[in-house]
Amino acid sequence: MRDWLAYLENEGKIKTVSKEISLKFEMPAVIKKLDGKAAVKFKKPKGYNIPVVSGIAYDRDLFAKALGTTKNNVARKISECQKQPIPCQVVTREEAPVMKNINIDDVNLMTLPIPIHHEKDAGHYITAGLLICKDPETGKRNVSIHRLQVFSKNEIGILILPRHLSQLYMKAEKKNEPLDIAIAIGVDPVLLLASQAIVPLGVDELEIANAIKNGGQKLVKCQTVDVEVPAEAEIVLEGKLLPKVRKVEGPFGEFPKYYGPASEKPVIKITAICHRDEPIYHTILPATKEHLLLGGLAREATLYELVKQTVPTVKDVHLTIGGTCRYHAVISIDKKHEGEAKNAMFAAFASMQEVKHVVVVDSDVDIFDIEEVEWAIATRCQMAKDIMLVSGSLGSKLDPSTNDGISDKMGIDATCPLNAPPEKYETIKIPGYEELNIEDYLD
Ligand code: FMN
């Protein structure tokens, strides 16, 4: 993360707050004011001597930069690297900056500047930790991000939705054994993004990050658990996900800007805290662009791949910020046959449970420009025939308008009919406009 912060500083993309600031609401309020405009570093969280950063990748351009590609190629780049993971190098404890300071005997989470983000949050939440563990049967690594409520100086509550971690936890729980885990805080945007990859169980997201980086991702073994973590992380919490223990976690302000409710959740016992010299803590404020894009860009990569299997002429996919980077998909296609738009909708709904509304447009529309998408809807569809509605499908449980996740889905075909006379949809043009440099004309 340090190299990335240095880049942000060089580019003038990070603001600094030197005055003392409370972790409870005050820091999150500043982060929210700067959302989408700048990253921020808080030098003096009140009561702590560890600085906090947030919004370290706050727009699509920054993620593209971190991935070493362009804004419109993010999905394809992630999808390529997902297919070709590269094993990471494991270095010694002496070579790993994060193992410079190891605390096993007197573990105390209260020494970390962990904010309280929203009004009704149940407490202090760690929001930017990569949770790394291994499949108890195969030994393959898995990486994911989870909301983590600090219960005490060495206990954390965790929300585990039914994906890979839940499968690994169930395997351990069946044997009444704890699952060794580690939580890496303060990592670069590529590692954060790779953790969100939607890949089959057994594909190691750290190896996807290594592929994106063209190698060079170093790992180090933990001290108290059988897990490897990024050697250059700022902070690593080591711990055990306990079998058959549940405690009330939540409520917590979630990505759709509503609260996720309180309920009984699994518990992690922290066994060690390791950190670099002068560590920096990273927090993600829920529902900010940093949060939405992290999940959204990885989902776009998978959506692109899966829609392409059904509609090979797909050009781009976009999960919009307004649709929480989950619920609204825009897909552009080079339509060759009538009906392809509807097939693209079916493919999108089938490939990603959270996708609720899909708009399909022609490839002349820039799907990253919402004004252009709206224009296509306004001028290229007639809703009685171009809309598709499905009821009673499985959607997102965090969408409050669903019935415990049971959701309607809607698709809009905003493509031009292939048999329309060409002049009907011919867009207006001014010859010479593209080449004209406005500065040559202004006083
Ligand atoms: N997934 C959860 O199950 N619980 C969470 O609390 C949770 N919080 C997240 C917070 C952030 C900031 C982000 C970016 C994602 C979060 N996710 C959460 C999504 C998972 O990290 C993501 O779906 C991941 O790919 C799951 O990996 P897995 O299938 O390997 O378990």
Side-chain angles (χ1 to χ4, degrees):
M1 187 175 77
R2 291 198 182 192
D3 289 348
W4 181 253
L5 293 177
Y7 162 76
L8 292 177
E9 224 152 273
N10 262 341
E11 297 288 311
K13 291 180 185 293
I14 184 161
K15 305 277 182 204
T16 306
V17 175
S18 297
K19 71 182 255 187
E20 205 174 54
I21 185 157
S22 169
L23 290 171
K24 186 173 177 181
F25 306 147
E26 191 181 10
M27 183 184 283
V30 173
I31 296 169
K32 188 168 175 178
K33 289 275 180 196
L34 293 170
D35 183 23
K37 301 183 191 95
V40 57
K41 180 172 186 179
F42 301 95
K43 286 188 164 170
K44 278 193 222 145
K46 201 182 263 174
Y48 297 85
N49 54 12
I50 298 176
V52 177
V53 292
S54 192
I56 66 167
Y58 57 81
D59 64 20
R60 203 171 267 272
D61 287 325
L62 278 175
F63 276 110
K65 169 78 192 166
L67 288 165
T69 189
T70 55
K71 187 172 148 179
N72 291 0
N73 201 42
V74 167
R76 275 179 287 269
K77 171 83 189 210
I78 298 174
S79 141
E80 273 162 30
C81 295
Q82 284 178 356
K83 288 183 216 151
Q84 292 164 336
I86 302 177
C88 304
Q89 182 195 354
V90 179
V91 300
T92 63
R93 175 172 148 180
E94 289 67 34
E95 290 169 306
V98 74
M99 290 300 164
K100 273 280 178 86
N101 306 275
I102 298 166
N103 193 340
I104 298 173
D105 300 327
D106 185 24
V107 167
N108 186 1
L109 292 166
M110 307 300 168
T111 57
L112 299 175
I114 305 171
I116 300 182
H117 299 94
H118 288 107
E119 188 182 11
K120 295 195 173 153
D121 284 2
H124 296 264
Y125 270 85
I126 298 166
T127 54
L130 297 191
L131 191 143
I132 307 164
C133 63
K134 288 184 184 170
D135 187 320
E137 285 168 5
T138 64
K140 298 274 185 193
R141 262 190 307 263
N142 190 68
V143 189
S144 45
I145 300 178
H146 298 263
R147 73 189 210 200
L148 302 165
Q149 182 184 348
V150 178
F151 284 152
S152 70
K153 65 179 199 161
N154 64 355
E155 256 189 358
I156 284 175
I158 176 169
L159 168 68
I160 309 176
L161 295 172
R163 296 195 192 101
H164 292 159
L165 178 60
S166 71
Q167 292 178 38
L168 307 187
Y169 179 47
M170 278 190 306
K171 286 184 188 184
E173 210 172 32
K174 235 186 197 165
K175 294 194 260 176
N176 205 19
E177 282 173 6
L179 183 69
D180 281 7
I181 62 104
I183 298 159
I185 304 166
V187 298
D188 60 74
V190 169
L191 277 166
L192 289 164
L193 205 48
S195 78
Q196 300 303 293
I198 301 170
V199 284
L201 183 65
V203 177
D204 178 358
E205 289 89 350
L206 294 178
E207 296 189 355
I208 295 175
N210 201 28
I212 296 172
K213 293 175 179 185
N214 292 319
Q217 177 61 57
K218 291 177 185 155
L219 306 180
V220 64
K221 282 189 178 304
C222 285
Q223 303 303 307
T224 59
V225 289
D226 178 24
V227 180
E228 297 80 34
V229 290
E232 291 176 4
E234 294 290 324
I235 299 163
V236 165
L237 313 177
E238 301 181 6
K240 310 252 176 197
L241 190 46
L242 304 177
K244 302 191 174 133
V245 179
R246 300 289 185 275
K247 283 191 181 173
V248 173
E249 179 272 349
F252 181 67
E254 273 288 358
F255 71 85
K257 301 190 193 169
Y258 299 100
Y259 290 95
S263 65
E264 300 250 305
K265 307 271 174 33
V267 175
I268 295 168
K269 184 115 188 166
I270 300 299
T271 51
I273 300 181
C274 314
H275 62 82
R276 296 175 70 129
D277 289 338
E278 301 185 15
I280 303 168
Y281 183 82
H282 177 205
T283 194
I284 293 175
L285 177 65
T288 53
K289 300 198 170 48
E290 179 175 37
H291 184 179
L292 299 177
L293 286 167
L294 265 176
L297 299 181
R299 279 174 176 76
E300 277 176 8
T302 303
L303 194 60
Y304 172 75
E305 276 301 320
L306 295 179
V307 173
K308 200 166 75 161
Q309 285 173 17
T310 308
V311 184
T313 56
V314 63
K315 185 184 163 213
D316 264 320
V317 299
H318 180 200
L319 290 165
T320 65
I321 294 266
T324 76
C325 286
R326 310 283 192 281
Y327 303 164
H328 284 183
V330 187
I331 301 172
S332 57
I333 59 172
D334 271 318
K335 192 165 79 170
K336 298 283 186 287
H337 306 280
E338 283 306 343
E340 274 178 353
K342 291 229 165 83
N343 286 11
M345 291 171 203
F346 286 128
F349 293 139
S351 60
M352 215 151 287
Q353 188 176 311
E354 295 134 315
V355 171
K356 184 180 178 188
H357 300 144
V358 175
V359 179
V360 184
V361 296
D362 294 301
S363 58
D364 63 324
V365 175
D366 177 0
I367 61 171
F368 299 101
D369 181 343
I370 294 304
E371 216 174 291
E372 280 208 27
V373 174
E374 191 184 351
W375 165 78
I377 295 172
T379 63
R380 294 182 178 183
C381 24
Q382 287 297 310
M383 288 303 180
K385 69 172 176 59
D386 289 327
I387 209 165
M388 181 173 79
L389 264 177
V390 180
S391 66
S393 198
L394 192 55
S396 161
K397 280 189 190 244
L398 286 171
D399 169 0
S401 70
T402 65
N403 183 5
D404 194 28
I406 303 299
S407 178
D408 292 352
K409 311 255 166 163
M410 182 187 71
I412 296 176
D413 177 355
T415 59
C416 301
L418 287 173
N419 62 0
E423 64 280 7
K424 206 171 176 200
Y425 288 97
E426 185 179 358
T427 52
I428 54 174
K429 278 191 188 66
I430 302 174
Y433 171 80
E434 300 295 343
E435 303 78 40
L436 186 143
N437 180 7
I438 190 67
E439 297 304 328
D440 296 342
Y441 290 80
L442 301 178
D443 293 342

